[in-house]
Amino acid sequence: MRLVLLGPPGAGKGTQAARIEAAYNLPHIATGDIFRRAINNKTALGVKAKEYIDQGKLVPDEIVVGIVEERLNNGDCQDGFILDGFPRTIEQAEALSALDFDLDVVLNIQVSEEEVINRLSGRRVCQECGATFHLEYNPPSEARICDECGGDLYQRDDDTPATIKERLDVYNNQTAPLIKYYQERDLLTSINGEQSLDNVFADISEVLEELS
Ligand code: AP5
Ligand code: ZN
């Protein structure tokens, strides 16, 4: 199964991708996670990507497309994958389509801007394994400690009010046009993202069961 998770920042793409990965044994490719790892490791890619990410802007298409292409050709993606955070522009979608990995479905996780702001302001992420929590909606059992691996939880640098606003603008201008793009190609299914984590996953599973 080849699927794309689309949605505004904080829609729950990463949270649901982790569940889909576990339930369906599909590789989870998250461009944001790839960049954050590169930033932590202070690689040349990380230094370049940080300039854009800290301002809430998109990393240029030519950089992102090269990374995704390399990852998809890695060997473990032949039987399927979950793309989370890619494509994010029409140009990226065209580049993906040229790679001949025909998609089965694009899941558009819908949440309001107000909810995006609540979710991103309360998000905490594990420094070690990347697991995502929310102070109120999905709290860790012990304050600031990851339930999965015991690692420390931190707040992302781009989860500040000014950067969240910029990311929402970027989403509306550059990413939202993909909804129509995939609708026109009969690939889009919308999911109500403003439900409990379990109910969002149940709706996603229903769509995926129909496909498999
Ligand atoms: P990226 O990491 O992809 O960020 P994003 O798209 O802004 O998405 P988020 O990770 O913020 O949110 P999410 O939808 O995964 O939500 P989550 O599950 O964490 O990208 C970061 C940056 O990298 C970009 O700004 C850009 O600069 C660059 N970049 C990445 N990809 C790129 C590309 N293709 N091209 C160019 N640049 C690129 O959930 C959010 C919170 O809500 C969590 O706290 C969670 O616990 C909580 N939550 C989740 N679901 C629910 C629920 N149902 N109810 C209550 N709370 C919930
Ligand atoms: Zn962890």
Side-chain angles (χ1 to χ4, degrees):
M1 204 155 23
R2 295 165 172 175
L3 59 123
V4 164
L5 295 181
L6 194 65
K13 303 181 293 294
T15 301
Q16 295 299 330
R19 292 188 170 206
I20 301 168
E21 178 183 19
Y24 293 86
N25 196 23
L26 292 169
H28 171 199
I29 305 171
T31 40
D33 290 348
I34 294 173
F35 292 135
R36 278 184 292 278
R37 258 196 309 274
I39 292 171
N40 271 344
N41 295 332
K42 301 193 167 58
T43 64
L45 169 68
V47 172
K48 186 99 209 123
K50 190 170 167 35
E51 282 173 37
Y52 298 94
I53 292 180
D54 282 356
Q55 295 177 54
K57 307 245 187 271
L58 294 184
V59 175
D61 289 336
E62 56 277 16
I63 298 180
V64 189
V65 167
I67 287 167
V68 172
E69 181 173 6
E70 197 179 313
R71 181 66 190 81
L72 287 176
N73 286 319
N74 208 358
D76 62 341
C77 294
Q78 290 315 315
D79 297 330
F81 50 77
I82 311 158
L83 278 173
D84 160 9
F86 180 94
R88 237 178 169 96
T89 61
I90 299 281
E91 289 72 20
Q92 291 180 16
E94 292 288 348
L96 175 61
S97 142
L99 293 178
D100 281 337
F101 284 97
D102 287 344
L103 297 174
D104 293 303
V105 69
V106 175
L107 297 173
N108 177 34
I109 306 183
Q110 296 178 306
V111 297
S112 65
E113 294 208 352
E114 195 188 346
E115 181 67 7
V116 162
I117 293 163
N118 288 337
R119 288 189 185 183
L120 295 184
S121 339
R123 170 163 59 186
R124 296 293 181 272
V125 182
C126 175
Q127 192 88 53
E128 302 297 325
C129 76
T132 298
F133 299 86
H134 190 281
L135 293 180
E136 196 182 328
Y137 306 140
N138 182 25
S141 317
E142 234 182 293
R144 294 188 294 277
I145 307 281
C146 174
D147 283 353
E148 308 284 330
C149 76
D152 288 338
L153 302 184
Y154 77 106
Q155 183 165 30
R156 272 170 46 174
D157 289 344
D158 59 348
D159 281 348
T160 57
T163 315
I164 292 171
K165 189 182 171 304
E166 177 62 25
R167 287 161 66 201
L168 273 168
D169 285 350
V170 166
Y171 169 79
N172 287 327
N173 293 326
Q174 294 180 258
T175 307
L178 288 175
I179 295 172
K180 183 157 169 276
Y181 177 92
Y182 283 121
Q183 249 163 3
E184 286 169 357
R185 286 158 182 76
D186 270 339
L187 285 168
L188 196 92
T189 300
S190 289
I191 301 286
N192 174 7
E194 291 205 28
Q195 315 178 70
S196 69
L197 275 74
D198 287 346
N199 286 350
V200 175
F201 184 63
D203 283 1
I204 290 177
S205 300
E206 208 175 296
V207 176
L208 300 186
E209 293 302 327
E210 270 174 33
L211 287 171
S212 53

